[in-house]
């Protein structure tokens, strides 16, 4: 079993504290949902896990060993792949070229092994539930949910053990969101550790094994699926304490 541990993580920018005393354990074969509204600290946490930011204080351990990520390459080498909202896909390129973008297979004299890359792309996407008649079509012709799955499948194929998904359902409709959520479940079944960053408690509750809610850089909930229900999750995400106080103040 692989683990990533965040111990007492703090991130400051000048006088501003973006994260304070964050403790979180991520485990292979588990979907950990990190929820929070805008400004909660989710983006800062993503940057720390992906190697874009070094925490100001605290420690990151991968399989019990302390690590320090100086770049995204370091995080990838540790098996952590981040899929951002913009997906880092090139709309005008084909599906298979996007799948191998920056990691193309080459043969004699550096010639691209196009047939092999097409076949691998087709097989990998089929395993993820996307059956394409032609992987030469521009990736912009796929639905938003399909493009998300291409980006996620690419990360898995190139050796990721942990996936950090940055709001993968934020801009999707119900049907496309369902596709991504099914894929998150499939990734867990494969033994992947998934960090699902979202502001949608309903999506989180459908697939989550563990839930952490951030508010203004601090953890306000850290519970397993057996310890929390959707109502509590939704109330905390909606600022339940603040709303209760306001309701009392207004006599409602």
């Amino acid at each position: 079993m692989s683990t990533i541990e965040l111990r007492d993580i703090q991130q400051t920018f000048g006088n501003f504290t973006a994260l304070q005393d964050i403790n979180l354990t991520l485990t292979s074969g588990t979907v950990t949902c990190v929820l929070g509204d805008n400004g909660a600290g989710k983006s800062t946490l993503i940057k720390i896990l992906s190697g874009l930011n070094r925490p100001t204080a605290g420690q990151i351990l991968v399989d019990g060993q302390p690590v320090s990520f100086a770049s995204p390459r370091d995080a990838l080498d540790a098996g952590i792949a981040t899929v951002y909202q913009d997906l880092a896909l090139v709309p005008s390129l084909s599906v298979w070229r996007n799948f191998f973008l920056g990691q193309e297979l080459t043969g004699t004299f550096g010639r691209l092994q196009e047939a092999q890359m097409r076949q691998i792309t087709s097989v990998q996407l089929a395993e993820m539930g996307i059956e394409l008649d032609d992987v030469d079509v521009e990736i912009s012709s796929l639905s938003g949910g399909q493009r998300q799955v291409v980006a996620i499948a690419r990360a898995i194929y190139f050796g990721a053990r942990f996936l950090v998904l940055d709001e993968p359902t934020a801009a999707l409709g119900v049907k496309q969101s369902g596709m991504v959520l099914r894929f998150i479940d499939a990734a867990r079944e494969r033994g992947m550790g998934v960090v699902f960053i979202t502001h949608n408690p309903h999506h989180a509750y459908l697939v989550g094994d563990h839930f952490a809610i951030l508010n203004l850089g601090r953890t306000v909930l850290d519970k397993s699926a057996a310890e929390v229900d959707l109502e509590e999750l939704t109330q905390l995400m909606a600022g339940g304490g603040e709303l209760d106080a306001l309701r009392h103040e207004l006599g409602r």
Side-chain angles (χ1 to χ4, degrees), residues 20 29 85 201 243:
Q20 179 71 43
Q85 286 188 48
L243 290 176

Side-chain angles (χ1 to χ4, degrees), residues 31-47:
V31 177
T32 301
C33 299
V34 179
L35 301 98
D37 210 342
N38 293 334
K42 303 190 306 296
S43 295
T44 303
L45 183 64
I46 291 170
K47 290 176 181 177

Side-chain angles (χ1 to χ4, degrees), residues 241-252:
E242 290 88 343
L243 290 176
D244 286 342
L246 181 60
R247 191 177 297 114
H248 178 75
E249 180 183 333
L250 297 176
R252 294 296 180 95

